[in-house]
Amino acid sequence: MIELGGLVAKADLIELTDDDRAALYGALLTVAAKLRGPDGAQALVLFRRKGKRAFEAEERGKGSSTG
């Protein structure tokens, strides 16, 4: 659970919603509804791709700040 909360923070959702938990929960429910819909499998592929790219960009950024 802590890791999942970290992802919410990493995506700047806490700051962007001014720590409004109802807004955050509503956003997550919207994502869940999208994944349950007829295009859910396609949405999951897109979400996964975007997340993977963000993780990779973060790793590249960490590597360039050392040395």
Side-chain angles (χ1 to χ4, degrees), residues 10 55-67:
K10 187 181 288 272
F55 279 135
E56 290 169 352
E58 181 180 310
E59 283 302 311
R60 282 191 305 271
K62 285 181 184 177
S64 67
S65 66
T66 59

Side-chain angles (χ1 to χ4, degrees), residues 9-60:
K10 187 181 288 272
D12 291 329
L13 291 174
I14 296 169
E15 183 177 314
L16 291 168
T17 62
D18 196 28
D19 198 15
D20 183 333
R21 291 161 194 232
L24 287 168
Y25 188 41
L28 293 171
L29 290 172
T30 300
V31 170
K34 176 79 171 173
L35 292 172
R36 286 188 192 101
D39 298 326
Q42 182 180 359
L44 183 58
V45 169
L46 294 174
F47 294 159
R48 186 176 288 128
R49 187 178 303 150
K50 184 171 186 113
K52 184 178 177 186
R53 287 179 184 158
F55 279 135
E56 290 169 352
E58 181 180 310
E59 283 302 311
R60 282 191 305 271

Side-chain angles (χ1 to χ4, degrees), residues 1-11 14 55:
M1 291 280 272
I2 292 171
E3 279 187 37
L4 295 175
L7 292 174
V8 170
K10 187 181 288 272
I14 296 169
F55 279 135

